[in-house]
Amino acid sequence: MARKRRFIIDIDEETNKKKLVLSDIILLLVFGGLIALVIWLVLMVAKKEKDPTNIVADMVVPIIEKGSKNEFTVNLDKIEDKKYIIRVVNYRNDIINKNEMDYDIEVINENNVEIEIYKNEIEDNLASINNKDLFIEKNVLKAEEKQDDVYKIVVVSDKDLTKKDTLKIIITS
């Protein structure tokens, strides 16, 4: 009884009967399942990278109550890659705002260093009109849903920055 083995099908040469090989079919199904799993994991990683909560920020400012004022100064000569990232969020730990919150950002550029400011993924430079002082108003954080607004400040100036080159940033709600 000689048998010829072909992929997925066994052929008996004496009777010329074809018979499916179950082990090969199971291996193909497992292999197909593994390929689908790898594709799904790659898509999940790509989705996770675009999530604003995964962006590493230099400063995170939670706004959880009205009437709050956050004021800080950024030394432009100390920032890496000439980029400074600020995340304005509507939560702290597991506490999320129950009401919508409006907030304003004021950027005071005392030494008139040339900068660009971008919000979230929008390509428009918010500091294009006036590079001295900038007031970004009527920003809204959602209620009962985590939200991150990411502001990226990029130093465009070619001059050597000193300790005197600072930005004063005031975030009020």
Side-chain angles (χ1 to χ4, degrees):
M1 215 194 260
R3 285 187 176 182
K4 252 188 186 174
R5 176 136 161 72
R6 295 189 183 161
F7 188 64
I8 299 179
I9 298 173
D10 259 352
I11 300 175
D12 191 353
E13 288 185 350
E14 291 177 7
T15 61
N16 214 12
K17 287 187 177 178
K18 296 179 181 179
K19 187 177 177 184
L20 292 176
V21 179
L22 186 61
S23 62
D24 288 345
I25 294 171
I26 292 173
L27 285 174
L28 280 176
L29 291 175
V30 168
F31 184 68
L34 288 174
I35 288 175
L37 178 68
V38 167
I39 290 171
W40 180 74
L41 288 174
V42 167
L43 291 175
M44 292 302 292
V45 167
K47 181 181 175 184
K48 198 87 165 156
E49 285 177 357
K50 292 182 180 180
D51 188 11
T53 58
N54 288 335
I55 295 174
V56 177
D58 296 303
M59 175 71 72
V60 178
V61 179
I63 296 181
I64 55 174
E65 61 184 35
K66 290 193 184 228
S68 66
K69 182 177 180 180
N70 298 293
E71 185 175 328
F72 53 95
T73 304
V74 178
N75 252 349
L76 295 177
D77 69 326
K78 300 287 184 193
I79 61 175
E80 295 178 16
D81 300 331
K82 295 193 173 191
K83 294 178 185 171
Y84 192 81
I85 297 175
I86 302 168
R87 275 183 33 209
V88 179
V89 299
N90 66 342
Y91 58 90
R92 181 182 293 153
N93 298 333
D94 292 332
I95 302 169
I96 302 175
N97 286 345
K98 299 208 183 318
N99 302 319
E100 267 191 3
M101 293 291 223
D102 296 337
Y103 69 94
D104 302 325
I105 297 179
E106 185 177 0
V107 179
I108 301 169
N109 188 355
E110 295 170 348
N111 294 334
N112 209 15
V113 176
E114 189 177 346
I115 61 169
E116 294 176 350
I117 300 176
Y118 301 99
K119 180 180 179 183
N120 296 331
E121 296 296 319
I122 300 172
E123 300 278 331
D124 295 337
N125 178 12
L126 300 174
S128 62
I129 300 167
N130 182 3
N131 223 359
K132 179 82 174 152
D133 294 331
L134 176 68
F135 195 69
I136 306 168
E137 59 184 348
K138 296 181 182 172
N139 299 294
V140 179
L141 292 172
K142 298 177 185 173
E144 297 185 13
E145 180 184 330
K146 284 188 175 183
Q147 179 184 345
D148 293 36
D149 283 346
V150 179
Y151 293 90
K152 181 167 63 170
I153 300 172
V154 180
V155 179
V156 182
S157 181
D158 290 335
K159 72 174 189 170
D160 289 335
L161 301 172
T162 63
K163 290 181 181 178
K164 294 180 182 179
D165 295 325
T166 60
L167 290 179
K168 186 175 183 180
I169 300 172
I170 304 168
I171 301 173
T172 56
S173 63

